[in-house]
Amino acid sequence: MPRSGSCPGGTSRSGTALATTPNHRDEIRRLKVAAFSHLDYPGARQAIQAVRWRRDTSTGKLTIERVYLITSLSVFDATCTELTTRIRGH
């Protein structure tokens, strides 16, 4: 993983997923993950920014949600895809 200037002491990666859900809406989910050697939170190994764009297909209304998370999983324990699945299932 490349070093990132915006993530001192860590590395970063991102992933995007597009889905059409059965509840008549389109969703785009983007995950940005930064792995750190240390954070001021016991056990934290990665910081995550999840952004969700949802468009209701019947009304066209767009909703954008940004969520910040931390996890004790290391970069070797969970890929972006696995993190997205875990976040969605939480």
Side-chain angles (χ1 to χ4, degrees):
M1 261 185 244
R3 297 289 274 178
S4 172
S6 62
C7 301
T11 58
S12 66
R13 60 196 168 144
S14 64
T16 303
L18 171 64
T20 301
T21 64
N23 1 3
H24 307 290
R25 64 181 183 210
D26 293 328
E27 290 186 1
I28 298 174
R29 294 171 176 262
R30 181 166 193 161
L31 210 63
K32 291 183 182 178
V33 182
F36 288 86
S37 56
H38 68 282
L39 285 176
D40 289 336
Y41 194 86
R45 295 293 171 256
Q46 297 185 79
I48 304 163
Q49 177 193 55
V51 181
R52 301 175 188 117
W53 291 269
R54 292 184 184 121
R55 184 177 60 85
D56 186 310
T57 55
S58 60
T59 65
K61 180 182 177 186
L62 177 67
T63 304
I64 301 172
E65 179 181 43
R66 188 178 314 258
V67 179
Y68 296 92
L69 309 134
I70 57 172
T71 182
S72 60
L73 296 172
S74 74
V75 295
F76 304 107
D77 295 331
T79 65
C80 281
T81 304
E82 291 167 339
L83 288 172
T84 300
T85 303
R86 289 174 184 247
I87 292 167
R88 189 173 178 118
H90 186 285

